[in-house]
Amino acid sequence: MAHISDLIATDIEQYLQAHEKKSLLRFITCGSVDDGKSTLIGRLLYESKMLFEDQLAAMEADSKKYGTQGENLDFALLVDGLAAEREQGITIDVAYRFFSTDKRKFIVADTPGHEQYTRNMVTGASTADAAVLMVDARRGVLTQTRRHSYLVSLLGIRRIVVAINKMDLVDYAEPVFRRICDDYRSFAEQIGLDGVTFIPMSAYKGDSIIEPSANMPWYHGTTLMGYLETVEVDDERLQKQPFRLPVQWVNRPNLDFRGFAGSIAGGIVKPGDRIRVQPSGKESTVARIVTRDGDLEQAVAGQSVTLTLADEIDISRGDVISTADSPAGSADQFETTLVWMHDEPLLPGRPYLLKIGAKTVTATVTHIKYQVNVNTLEHVAARTLELNAIGVCNLSLDRPIAFDPYAENRDTGGFILIDRLSNNTVGAGLIHFALRRSQNIHMQHVDVDKASRAALKHQKPCVLWFTGLSGAGKSTIANLVEKKLHAHGYHTYLLDGDNVRHGLNKDLGFTEADRVENIRRVAEVAKLMVDAGLIVITAFISPFRAERQMARSLMAEDEFIEVFIDTPLEVAEGRDAKGLYKKARRGELKNFTGIDSPYEAPETPDVRINTVTMSADEAATYLVLELQRRGGLGD
């Protein structure tokens, strides 16, 4: 590997000590397709002499096979590692590269330019301190330039270089550079970007990358490397913020030590500082700051430490230790911006897992206020969010979390959404503020509880949740079950799909979003009825596993019984008492389950009823006996 410092050859220990103390800048390159992002990073790696000899040899060989620069080196091939990237000459995945100079260490993320890979660009930008936005001097400011600028602004990156690349292809003309600067400034004002630095360059030729370009004597600003070596990094800014330590681990090796470990997300802490733990609100004082190398007198943003406190208070993984004078907020409802990152759309009412720091809770999007058209900045009405869409949404959690607005602290204000069934990350979000209702609405204590109501009725409350295709026999069997229970003096209520849509859910249609909301409302009503001590029977198609799981999560573990009315599609369609299948086959009824809308059959239902081998009355009798076996019918 080429020497990057004379100290490597003369005093390696001194070099390593100096290298360890260098600040670290994380930055991204972004922009439209073919603007030269990968070439720029390859040039930076080459000029900083961070390449091994075999890497140079491989680049020379690959340049002949895949390169787009004739006989010359194609620096983009140092970064584009996927075969598809090399074949097409584009960036698809996010590529991270490390390099350093005598002044600073760098981690650069090369992010895709195609609109379809917007989620990859967001991933790369989520940890960046600065952004290098590439613009092709021949094409100027494009739609994708505006799109990435908006995303950079949204993600809180305020140190931005507009690198006007390929100046060699416009004869290094100053008027071209000035025109692009003026065009970009007018757009930047609309999205609140200020302090943008413009640099004319040629990543391929090396103009204005490391040294000022002799080809552009009219430009007197900084080089790109000069900018990167001197721009402020986030850790420096965060040290001026209020103290925040998201707890990643409670360290209890023995009875005499209890520490709270994590990476400081903001501010400075010293022994003796008064702290508050959120969301509980309990306070104490810092006793020690423990590290592997010994106790510290002070710790700052970016350091990983373990704190011990003067008092024994309850702190769990995912809590946030804050300064008592300016603590983090605590709430369970928020206005947020969501970037949707999954092929299946976001559906309001569907439960997801929300992960913020080390804390994981259940979250539901209650309302999509609007979707942002990032090409025009127009606010558009939306009921769902598709892949790569960005929307402003209200979010409700099942418990309070500690937070800061994302604009103040990205670590304590940013989160991801996770699909509960597949564990796929489906969205990334930024907290704006807590909704006022989260602070003003509290659960009211009542003296007559579920147990006392159930005891009065001499039964154990529960939900028999029937699911199956239309025509499977759900309503018929559910009605017979209620008749048999009623005949024996039990207190029941039947929630039927069609009946509920005449009242509570009459405003809902049959889109996926409406079906999710339909089941969410029914589940909440069933929960209230169980709290009243009733045996509740629901007869709904409820086609999605996620919503059935949501309904189960509202009840106690033994209160939810999923009953799969297992009837083959051809049998259900053959019955077709309401003529719905015929309408669906003729195209007169859209989004009909089993025809043009999916049904996700239960994988492990609590009870499976095969209506091909069992009559409706036999099924009802079986379910009453099953309920009795589970202890739901009292003595």
Side-chain angles (χ1 to χ4, degrees):
M1 182 175 176
H3 292 173
I4 59 174
S5 170
D6 292 338
L7 286 175
I8 292 180
T10 59
D11 191 337
I12 187 65
E13 185 173 345
Q14 185 179 347
Y15 165 76
L16 291 174
Q17 290 176 352
H19 187 74
E20 184 179 2
K21 294 178 182 178
K22 293 177 188 177
S23 62
L24 172 66
L25 176 73
R26 296 177 177 87
F27 71 97
I28 65 167
T29 60
C30 53
S32 192
V33 180
D34 294 330
D35 281 347
K37 300 180 295 298
S38 298
T39 300
L40 175 63
I41 296 175
R43 169 65 73 173
L44 288 172
L45 295 174
Y46 179 79
E47 296 288 356
S48 60
K49 304 187 187 303
M50 293 295 292
L51 300 176
F52 291 97
E53 296 297 335
D54 60 339
Q55 288 179 299
L56 286 171
M59 182 173 66
E60 291 176 359
D62 287 343
S63 294
K64 294 177 182 178
K65 183 177 181 180
Y66 300 107
T68 60
Q69 306 298 336
E71 296 298 319
N72 298 317
L73 292 177
D74 188 347
F75 294 107
L77 297 177
L78 286 170
V79 185
D80 290 338
L82 298 177
E85 293 177 321
R86 294 179 174 226
E87 291 167 0
Q88 300 177 55
I90 63 172
T91 298
I92 296 174
D93 201 1
V94 181
Y96 295 92
R97 291 294 184 270
F98 171 86
F99 66 98
S100 70
T101 65
D102 287 338
K103 295 182 180 179
R104 178 172 274 177
K105 296 177 289 187
F106 304 91
I107 295 176
V108 54
D110 181 27
T111 61
H114 284 72
E115 181 175 345
Q116 71 189 88
Y117 301 122
T118 297
R119 54 184 170 180
N120 302 41
M121 183 267 176
V122 170
T123 300
S126 62
T127 58
D129 303 310
V132 178
L133 185 69
M134 305 292 289
V135 176
D136 188 327
R138 299 168 302 170
R139 299 187 293 174
V141 177
L142 303 176
T143 297
Q144 194 69 337
T145 310
R146 296 186 178 92
R147 183 181 187 87
H148 282 181
S149 297
Y150 177 80
L151 291 169
V152 163
S153 172
L154 178 68
L155 293 167
I157 301 175
R158 289 294 176 266
R159 289 167 289 280
I160 297 172
V161 173
V162 176
I164 301 174
N165 191 30
K166 304 186 181 181
M167 289 296 294
D168 55 309
L169 299 182
V170 294
D171 298 325
Y172 300 102
E174 181 180 4
V176 173
F177 172 71
R178 300 299 177 195
R179 186 187 71 249
I180 294 174
C181 291
D182 292 341
D183 288 348
Y184 188 85
R185 283 194 189 97
S186 63
F187 175 74
E189 290 176 1
Q190 298 178 47
I191 57 176
L193 286 180
D194 51 16
V196 178
T197 300
F198 297 90
I199 302 177
M201 66 174 62
S202 170
Y204 172 54
K205 298 284 189 180
D207 294 285
S208 297
I209 304 298
I210 306 296
E211 301 290 340
S213 172
N215 295 311
M216 293 179 285
W218 46 265
Y219 175 69
H220 304 290
T222 181
T223 62
L224 178 62
M225 185 61 78
Y227 177 90
L228 296 174
E229 287 183 330
T230 57
V231 68
E232 182 186 38
V233 299
D234 267 356
D235 284 350
E236 296 168 359
R237 177 182 60 83
L238 286 172
Q239 290 173 18
K240 304 170 188 176
Q241 302 296 317
F243 172 66
R244 300 287 186 268
L245 177 73
V247 177
Q248 297 174 350
W249 179 42
V250 179
N251 185 2
R252 191 73 187 273
N254 55 59
L255 294 176
D256 300 321
F257 185 89
R258 188 165 181 253
F260 307 99
S263 178
I264 299 176
I268 298 173
V269 65
K270 302 175 183 177
D273 285 354
R274 192 72 183 167
I275 59 92
R276 181 180 298 177
V277 180
Q278 296 289 62
S280 69
K282 296 178 181 178
E283 295 191 6
S284 185
T285 302
V286 176
R288 297 170 57 195
I289 304 174
V290 182
T291 71
R292 180 179 179 181
D293 299 322
D295 287 12
L296 302 179
E297 293 300 316
Q298 174 180 290
V300 301
Q303 285 185 281
S304 295
V305 298
T306 297
L307 300 185
T308 65
L309 305 180
D311 305 287
E312 288 289 336
I313 60 177
D314 183 18
I315 303 178
S316 301
R317 172 179 164 85
D319 290 347
V320 174
I321 301 176
S322 311
T323 175
D325 295 334
S326 183
S330 175
D332 60 4
Q333 296 186 58
F334 304 94
E335 182 187 273
T336 67
T337 292
L338 278 178
V339 181
W340 195 247
M341 305 168 71
H342 200 259
D343 293 327
E344 293 185 8
L346 163 71
L347 299 177
R350 172 167 287 182
Y352 300 94
L353 296 178
L354 179 147
K355 185 173 177 62
I356 179 168
K359 188 85 166 183
T360 302
V361 298
T362 298
T364 303
V365 174
T366 56
H367 176 57
I368 300 176
K369 291 187 171 182
Y370 57 84
Q371 181 175 327
V372 180
N373 183 330
V374 296
N375 300 325
T376 65
L377 303 184
E378 180 185 6
H379 293 177
V380 181
R383 299 192 66 185
T384 65
L385 294 181
E386 303 290 340
L387 175 64
N388 291 328
I390 300 171
V392 173
C393 311
N394 286 351
L395 207 63
S396 178
L397 314 184
D398 66 342
R399 73 199 79 165
I401 59 170
F403 77 99
D404 288 295
Y406 185 86
E408 297 177 9
N409 193 309
R410 289 199 282 175
D411 287 330
T412 53
F415 62 87
I416 60 173
L417 290 182
I418 302 169
D419 184 90
R420 289 163 58 101
L421 297 179
S422 67
N423 281 328
N424 290 327
T425 298
V426 294
L430 326 172
I431 294 176
H432 297 173
F433 52 79
L435 299 179
R436 197 181 314 171
R437 70 191 75 155
S438 68
Q439 307 297 330
N440 298 337
I441 301 176
H442 306 278
M443 290 297 292
Q444 176 66 41
H445 172 74
V446 293
D447 292 321
V448 180
D449 60 9
K450 176 167 58 178
S452 59
R453 298 185 189 105
L456 189 66
K457 298 176 177 64
H458 303 289
Q459 63 188 37
K460 181 180 177 181
C462 65
V463 174
L464 283 169
W465 189 281
F466 285 51
T467 177
L469 293 169
S470 177
K474 299 181 300 299
S475 295
T476 301
I477 298 172
N479 185 56
L480 288 171
V481 169
E482 186 177 35
K483 284 177 64 177
K484 292 177 183 293
L485 292 174
H486 182 74
H488 287 85
Y490 294 107
H491 299 260
T492 63
Y493 196 88
L494 171 59
L495 291 167
D496 182 80
D498 283 354
N499 294 348
V500 168
R501 283 186 176 273
H502 283 285
L504 176 66
N505 293 346
K506 68 187 301 181
D507 59 317
L508 299 177
F510 291 90
T511 65
E512 284 196 8
D514 283 343
R515 287 169 180 239
V516 169
E517 176 62 12
N518 182 50
I519 297 305
R520 187 195 68 80
R521 293 183 192 178
V522 169
E524 291 288 353
V525 170
K527 177 185 176 183
L528 292 175
M529 289 183 168
V530 168
D531 193 58
L534 298 176
I535 297 172
V536 185
I537 307 161
T538 74
F540 293 80
I541 295 174
S542 49
F544 305 120
R545 295 189 189 104
E547 278 59 65
R548 299 195 296 268
Q549 179 60 37
M550 175 273 297
R552 182 186 292 273
S553 69
L554 295 177
M555 318 294 173
E557 186 174 348
D558 58 348
E559 289 177 348
F560 187 92
I561 303 170
E562 184 180 49
V563 180
F564 178 29
I565 307 301
D566 187 0
T567 303
L569 175 61
E570 59 273 15
V571 175
E573 188 170 358
R575 295 169 181 170
D576 202 14
K578 302 173 185 176
L580 300 179
Y581 282 99
K582 290 185 177 65
K583 289 183 179 179
R585 293 293 186 187
R586 292 195 301 266
E588 299 171 5
L589 190 59
K590 300 296 184 183
N591 301 314
F592 190 75
T593 302
I595 304 301
D596 58 351
S597 184
Y599 177 74
E600 299 173 355
E603 295 176 333
T604 55
D606 298 298
V607 179
R608 183 186 299 269
I609 299 293
N610 186 336
T611 61
V612 175
T613 60
M614 188 180 293
S615 69
D617 190 69
E618 290 172 337
T621 300
Y622 177 83
L623 286 168
V624 171
L625 293 173
E626 178 66 18
L627 201 58
Q628 189 174 37
R629 186 186 69 78
R630 291 171 178 263
L633 301 183
D635 298 329

